[in-house]
Amino acid sequence: MRGGSWNARIESGGVVIGAGFLVTPSTVLTCAHVVRDGDGAPLTVSFPGHRDLAAVPASVAVHGGWAGGDTDPGDLAVLELDRQVPIGPAGFAPPGAEQGLPAPALEAYGFPDGYDEGQVAEYRASSATLIAGEWVQLVAATAHGQPLTHGFSGAAVTLKDGRVVGMVTQVAGEQDVRVARMLPTEVMARYWPGLGELVPARDGGRDGQDPTRRLYELVRRAEAAGLECSPDRLFVDAVGDFGPAPPPGGFPSLRAAVGYVQWEVAEPAEALARFADRLEQLLSAPRGSASASVATSASTSTSSVVSWSPILVELDRSGAGADQVTVEVSAYRDGQRRPVGTVRLPRARVRAYVQECVDVAFDHLAPGAEELITFVLPREWLNEPVAHWECGPEDSTPLGCAHPVVVADRFRHRSGRLRHQLGKKWQKSGSGTGSPALYRVDCGSRDNPAGLRKRLREGETELAGYATPPTAAPDRFEAGLTTPVPVLLWPRTGCPGTDHTTPCAGTTFLDGLAPYVDGVPPAELPRVIQELREEVAAADEPDRHWARDVQLLWDDPRCFPAPPASLHSPVA
């Protein structure tokens, strides 16, 4: 096989026991069961493409944890040669390169009985599905070619251009010589993380420059320098707020975080490049600088931000009559939406149905999850007193005192354009930069809607407070919704109009609200407003409190990762 001089023959006690391939000048990969077949006799590695080189003694440096059974995982061994060899190591293709329509032809160079110099077998990947999360199934490309029999275990599986996509681990059986299995590179890396820096990202990189080797070189520098940093924080910075979350317990090391980006992110090249850029900044920053100190704390902007588990209550006019409402209740767990109930009801019966379904929805949340009850409402219903609804027929506690309760505009919640814009604003808000201050829209403001929209956008406003309910100034309220400002607050009652410049109930509301919300990360505001509602309920004269009717519109697309399901009506 042209260019395959790195193909290796593994021998034990002078007997060929399998194949392998050179990945660094002194490292060969093979199967753990190949090493087992040597019965403890000394191992040697030779290279049939270099007959002038004598066999090199080798020892097992890493064992993948294979337990000895045909279907046990971890059938990988890393052999360390006694000395480096003057042979160029194998190159790797990006993960998944063995797949395609049609699937590309794959080759393996092994040593079946009677062929100590080697034979080539040609196969194809039969499916993108991993068998038991471990193996890719291979099928023979022709009916009469060399099968993957004994002697091919540990052989590199390559594309026609010689780039490696995996390793043969299970050879064809006597019953069906056409079928075998390989470990793809992303699975091999589970058992030997050192493979990570050898495999390019599956989606290329900036200007065709793959960031993988650069990043691993920076990791080596960080390890050598003893750099103090948070792998979790670097991971979140790299993948962004819409990427996967760190695993439970976080990452034990920088290498673990890099590997997770490389193998678990669908299109990792940009994330790997961002990881490398940030790590390079930290290595260049003076010890003790603000840049370095921020990166050492995993709590900065990541763990300090609440991770909400929404219970979604969607209400809409059903189309079956002026008094008929379609209600859909669902819960989110692990990023997946779980339906709880859908029904069409007269408006007078909606509250009781919602109380019942919300109670059931809690059973769908993960233990210990931070619940967030979100009412998605048509714009003309955004002033509904949903936070004042009782928890249930036997619990008169206002829902907004017992739990964080927010509302969302139904159009904005479902608009792909606005969700995209909101996503960018929330991602910036979660980066830990700046402290949002309340932008006031007072009763006496002379802003026209276009002017207000311009100021909200230019100021990158994250938090706006209105002195009046939406019905009193609908055009200005719409400006905040569609700019879009991530968080809006207003009093449901109070000042009914805007034709005055003197202080009023709306002014009192905004004056009282500012100390509670200024500088608070927007992600934490649902809990802050819940506590404010509890404070109001406990006051001596709650009906006279400035915050008695506070309404919070809060819509973070990160909490609703799946596209919102269509609110289907049970109307026949």
Side-chain angles (χ1 to χ4, degrees):
M1 190 166 56
R2 291 192 300 274
S5 58
W6 38 259
N7 286 298
R9 181 173 54 226
I10 314 298
E11 300 180 42
S12 176
V15 177
V16 177
I17 56 174
F21 54 105
L22 189 76
V23 294
T24 79
S26 61
T27 307
V28 169
L29 300 186
T30 188
C31 293
H33 80 258
V34 168
V35 174
R36 189 271 317 264
D37 291 345
D39 293 328
L43 296 172
T44 59
V45 176
S46 56
F47 299 90
H50 289 266
R51 297 186 180 185
D52 54 321
L53 288 179
V56 182
S59 58
V60 178
V62 176
H63 189 283
W66 179 66
D70 288 344
T71 58
D72 288 330
D75 191 4
L76 174 79
V78 181
L79 304 183
E80 190 66 26
L81 304 182
D82 274 7
R83 63 179 183 274
Q84 294 188 358
V85 293
I87 300 173
F92 288 82
E98 72 277 5
Q99 308 298 334
L101 290 174
L106 305 173
E107 294 182 351
Y109 191 108
F111 306 92
D113 292 341
Y115 293 94
D116 287 356
E117 74 284 6
Q119 281 281 86
V120 174
E122 186 171 316
Y123 277 63
R124 298 180 191 274
S126 63
S127 170
T129 301
L130 286 181
I131 298 172
E134 186 86 356
W135 300 280
V136 169
Q137 182 168 296
L138 303 175
V139 294
T142 65
H144 307 291
Q146 169 67 49
L148 288 174
T149 57
H150 177 75
F152 278 89
S153 291
V157 180
T158 72
L159 300 171
K160 284 291 188 179
D161 62 11
R163 291 179 297 158
V164 177
V165 297
M167 179 179 72
V168 178
T169 55
Q170 294 183 15
V171 296
E174 294 181 1
Q175 300 300 319
D176 189 352
V177 297
R178 299 186 65 254
V179 179
R181 291 179 180 178
M182 78 170 187
L183 282 185
T185 50
E186 61 266 33
V187 175
M188 295 169 68
R190 294 178 196 165
Y191 307 114
W192 184 47
L195 189 62
E197 62 183 295
L198 305 178
V199 180
R202 64 171 58 88
D203 57 337
R206 299 172 184 168
D207 301 321
Q209 300 297 312
D210 184 80
T212 307
R213 288 184 181 270
R214 171 180 170 240
L215 177 52
Y216 277 100
E217 176 58 34
L218 290 167
V219 169
R220 281 193 290 273
R221 283 177 52 194
E223 291 170 340
L227 179 70
E228 293 184 5
C229 62
S230 166
D232 288 20
R233 173 64 188 274
L234 286 167
F235 173 84
V236 172
D237 286 348
V239 303
D241 290 318
F242 295 100
F251 297 106
S253 67
L254 266 179
R255 283 186 181 272
V258 171
Y260 204 81
V261 175
Q262 184 175 8
W263 306 115
E264 301 299 332
V265 174
E267 296 181 351
E270 279 299 316
L272 290 169
R274 285 192 294 269
F275 203 126
D277 291 344
R278 182 63 176 135
L279 187 55
E280 189 167 40
Q281 289 174 2
L282 297 178
L283 285 166
S284 302
R287 292 295 180 94
S289 68
S291 176
S293 62
V294 165
T296 62
S297 172
S299 63
T300 305
S301 89
T302 54
S303 61
S304 63
V305 174
V306 180
S307 179
W308 296 111
S309 294
I311 292 174
L312 204 65
V313 181
E314 294 196 70
L315 306 181
D316 194 21
R317 301 187 187 280
S318 74
D323 187 47
Q324 297 297 304
V325 179
T326 300
V327 185
E328 183 169 0
V329 180
S330 52
Y332 277 83
R333 179 168 179 169
D334 300 328
Q336 299 297 317
R337 185 173 177 175
R338 301 185 174 198
V340 175
T342 303
V343 72
R344 187 190 70 207
L345 290 170
R347 191 163 181 175
R349 294 171 53 193
V350 168
R351 184 181 304 191
Y353 180 78
V354 168
Q355 290 168 336
E356 178 184 346
C357 283
V358 165
D359 196 61
V360 173
F362 274 89
D363 292 334
H364 292 264
L365 301 184
E370 295 287 346
E371 77 280 1
L372 176 69
I373 301 176
T374 303
F375 283 82
V376 179
L377 306 171
R379 191 161 303 174
E380 63 270 22
W381 291 355
L382 284 175
N383 214 39
E384 285 294 310
V386 291
H388 289 265
W389 290 4
E390 296 179 347
C391 287
E394 298 181 6
D395 184 353
S396 62
T397 307
L399 201 59
C401 291
H403 310 284
V405 173
V406 302
V407 298
D409 177 71
R410 187 168 182 270
F411 171 77
R412 182 165 106 158
H413 186 73
R414 291 167 173 269
S415 166
R417 177 179 62 86
L418 294 178
R419 282 175 62 85
H420 177 75
Q421 291 178 303
L422 278 170
K424 292 193 294 184
K425 291 194 173 186
W426 277 104
Q427 187 163 358
K428 183 175 181 179
S429 155
S431 67
T433 59
S435 299
L438 182 70
Y439 183 96
R440 297 174 61 121
V441 184
D442 286 286
C443 295
S445 169
R446 297 302 179 186
D447 282 343
N448 61 47
L452 176 60
R453 186 178 298 109
K454 183 174 184 291
R455 274 179 282 281
L456 292 173
R457 181 172 290 111
E458 288 177 345
E460 298 185 339
T461 304
E462 299 178 28
L463 174 63
Y466 287 77
T468 63
T471 52
D475 292 343
R476 280 192 249 168
F477 188 75
E478 180 184 329
L481 281 176
T482 58
T483 297
V485 177
V487 182
L488 303 177
L489 293 121
W490 67 90
R492 287 192 316 98
T493 59
C495 185
T498 60
D499 296 331
H500 62 81
T501 57
T502 57
C504 63
T507 304
T508 302
F509 173 81
L510 293 179
D511 289 346
L513 182 65
Y516 283 84
V517 300
D518 279 348
V520 176
E524 298 179 13
L525 284 172
R527 186 71 71 195
V528 170
I529 298 303
Q530 179 200 357
E531 293 170 355
L532 175 58
R533 286 168 174 154
E534 288 184 285
E535 180 183 316
V536 172
D540 292 336
E541 297 182 277
D543 290 341
R544 297 172 65 88
H545 197 286
W546 62 267
R548 64 189 179 276
D549 284 321
V550 61
Q551 193 85 321
L552 170 62
L553 185 143
W554 187 101
D555 192 6
D556 182 354
R558 297 175 299 179
C559 289
F560 312 97
S566 297
L567 188 63
H568 58 278
S569 171
V571 178

